[in-house]
Amino acid sequence: MGLRINETVPNFTAMTYQGEITFHDWIGDSYAILFSHPKDYTPVCTTEFGAVAQLADEWAKRGTKVIGLSVDGVEDHKGWKSDIENVAGTTAGFPIIADEDLAVSKAFDMLPADAYLPDGRTPADSATVRSVFIIGPDKKLRLSMTYPMTVGRNFAEVLRALDALQMTDGKPLAAPANWQPGQDVIVGLALDDDAATAQFGALDIKLPYLRFAKDPS
């Protein structure tokens, strides 16, 4: 069974090109995003790592740490990092986990327990290691998404989802379809109309169970 929303994510100790980390300690009191890749020096993944690097200021504004993972080793990561920075035109300052033994990939259910890397492997041997996990300061999984190797991830959408998660965290609110920061939000049914109005201001009531209010953030 895969890792479920609101479950505590696995803790682990692993090497990165910046040194050893223990995952829960590394997260600390921040939000965190773990994004994984099936192999270094692959074209789509290079553009994705570059996109994450270009958003460094946006992650920092949201108090969010980002960390990559690939099933190659530290020395490969160091060399690949140079390619990523050349393509992105900026520094890739986040750590990249070296998951050569597949321990993290298996712990996060991206690969089956009996998976192994054969001699002469290609990215297809670890193709399912292409997930994004957004994790709260409580170390619980808030969101996950998995992409095939042929579809580059949209990190603007990851950023939007992070904004929605942080906006609704601990509040009786939800983000509607296609929501963007600043747009109206849905007020949860845990509050009646009077309580919702008192907390969030005037309501736009579309249906008895669908009520909008201004974005409180």
Side-chain angles (χ1 to χ4, degrees):
M1 182 64 69
L3 188 64
R4 296 183 179 92
I5 299 296
N6 291 328
E7 286 186 342
T8 300
V9 300
N11 194 19
F12 59 84
T13 298
M15 288 301 299
T16 77
Y17 78 85
Q18 295 179 354
E20 186 177 86
I21 65 159
T22 298
F23 192 50
H24 284 194
D25 292 343
W26 177 84
I27 294 173
D29 296 326
S30 302
Y31 272 80
I33 296 176
L34 169 64
F35 58 102
S36 64
H37 299 262
K39 201 174 193 309
D40 292 1
Y41 299 105
T42 49
V44 174
C45 297
T46 300
T47 65
E48 291 174 332
F49 266 87
V52 173
Q54 290 167 344
L55 289 169
D57 290 344
E58 298 300 325
W59 308 128
K61 285 178 189 176
R62 292 158 177 82
T64 299
K65 297 178 179 179
V66 295
I67 189 166
L69 176 146
S70 180
V71 298
D72 286 314
V74 168
E75 292 306 313
D76 283 325
H77 290 355
K78 289 178 180 178
W80 187 31
K81 179 177 179 288
S82 176
D83 287 352
I84 293 162
E85 292 176 338
N86 286 337
V87 168
T90 191
T91 300
F94 49 85
I96 306 173
I97 296 165
D99 193 32
E100 291 180 283
D101 62 1
L102 308 181
V104 181
S105 297
K106 292 177 181 180
F108 278 75
D109 202 46
M110 293 182 283
L111 288 171
D114 60 353
Y116 67 96
L117 296 179
D119 293 339
R121 74 177 181 91
T122 70
D125 294 303
S126 48
T128 55
V129 186
R130 279 188 53 74
S131 295
V132 177
F133 302 93
I134 303 182
I135 301 157
D138 55 2
K139 317 304 184 292
K140 292 184 178 179
L141 179 66
R142 302 299 181 85
L143 180 149
S144 64
M145 56 184 83
T146 301
Y147 283 68
M149 289 195 297
T150 55
V151 179
R153 281 168 276 194
N154 184 339
F155 282 93
E157 165 57 14
V158 176
L159 195 66
R160 186 197 77 92
L162 176 63
D163 282 334
L165 288 167
Q166 293 187 336
M167 182 269 294
T168 60
D169 197 0
K171 305 180 186 71
L173 297 174
N178 302 322
W179 176 84
Q180 294 291 335
Q183 295 179 346
D184 289 356
V185 297
I186 294 171
V187 180
L189 297 176
L191 300 177
D192 63 24
D193 289 353
D194 289 341
T197 299
Q199 187 166 346
F200 298 111
L203 301 179
D204 179 7
I205 302 176
K206 304 292 189 185
L207 294 165
Y209 58 87
L210 179 57
R211 306 169 302 169
F212 288 88
K214 297 299 183 185
D215 182 349
S217 59

